[in-house]
């Protein structure tokens, strides 16, 4: 069975309040986190886009899609990606996952081969669902729009309510994101 084509959407619209600087442009090993995520996903995707209402990321390479519901967080980024996608499946990734690697993506994408009628395929770690390392089918778009119009922003709630196929990874540090300068320093000192 062949894997369906996918579009990858890297979320770059967050305010990075706890980090104190823009996480999308934050460099780890000399590469901006958003650019690193896009490069990692490119071999698996027909198209890679950055999602967020920003006009300062043109130098990173991928096309930037503005949110259709600005200020509504990652769910709005997913809405923009699904709306603009020419594929049925969108891989949604946070930009602040420096440990993410090709092997984890390969494992997640491999689950598409047995996806059946599921609406999402998502990583579930020891911490629980990881909605920003997940695949979403286009048929979820009406539900996403409805949630956003009701003021609901929780992507994890969408995953729990949808017909989701889980990719279990246990206590995998590759899905840990960076939120604070201390987390960034700890990650750098361990890698």
């Amino acid at each position: 069975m062949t894997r369906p084509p996918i579009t990858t959407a890297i979320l770059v619209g967050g305010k990075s309040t706890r980090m104190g600087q823009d996480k999308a442009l934050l460099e780890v090993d000399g590469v901006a986190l958003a650019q690193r995520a896009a490069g990692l996903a490119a071999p698996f995707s027909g198209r890679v886009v950055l999602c967020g209402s920003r006009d300062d990321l043109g130098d990173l390479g991928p096309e930037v899609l503005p949110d259709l519901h600005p200020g509504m967080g990652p769910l709005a980024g997913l809405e923009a990606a699904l709306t603009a996608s020419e594929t049925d499946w969108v891989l949604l990734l946070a930009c602040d996952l420096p440990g993410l690697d090709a092997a984890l993506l390969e494992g997640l994408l491999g689950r598409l081969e047995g996806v059946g009628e599921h609406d999402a395929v998502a990583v579930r770690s020891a911490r629980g669902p990881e909605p920003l390392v997940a695949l979403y089918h286009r048929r979820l778009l009406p539900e996403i729009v409805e949630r956003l119009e009701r003021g609901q922003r929780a992507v994890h709630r969408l995953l729990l309510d949808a017909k989701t196929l889980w990719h279990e990874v246990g206590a995998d540090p590759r899905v840990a994101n960076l939120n604070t300068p201390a987390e960034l320093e700890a990650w750098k000192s361990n890698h």
Side-chain angles (χ1 to χ4, degrees), residues 18-100:
R18 290 179 285 168
M19 183 62 75
Q21 59 183 310
D22 188 343
K23 289 194 283 185
L25 296 174
L26 185 68
E27 289 191 3
V28 173
D29 298 328
V31 179
L33 285 175
Q35 194 171 30
R36 183 192 177 287
L40 181 64
F44 301 101
S45 306
R47 178 181 179 201
V48 177
V49 296
L50 303 177
C51 291
S53 295
R54 308 180 56 159
D55 56 6
D56 63 337
L57 300 176
D59 292 343
L60 293 183
E63 170 188 7
V64 180
L65 296 178
D67 291 341
L68 303 175
H69 284 86
M72 293 295 289
L75 194 60
L78 178 57
E79 175 199 26
L82 286 169
T83 299
S85 177
E86 295 172 1
T87 64
D88 285 337
W89 288 97
V90 168
L91 171 63
L92 187 68
L93 297 174
C95 70
D96 62 352
L97 300 166
L100 194 63

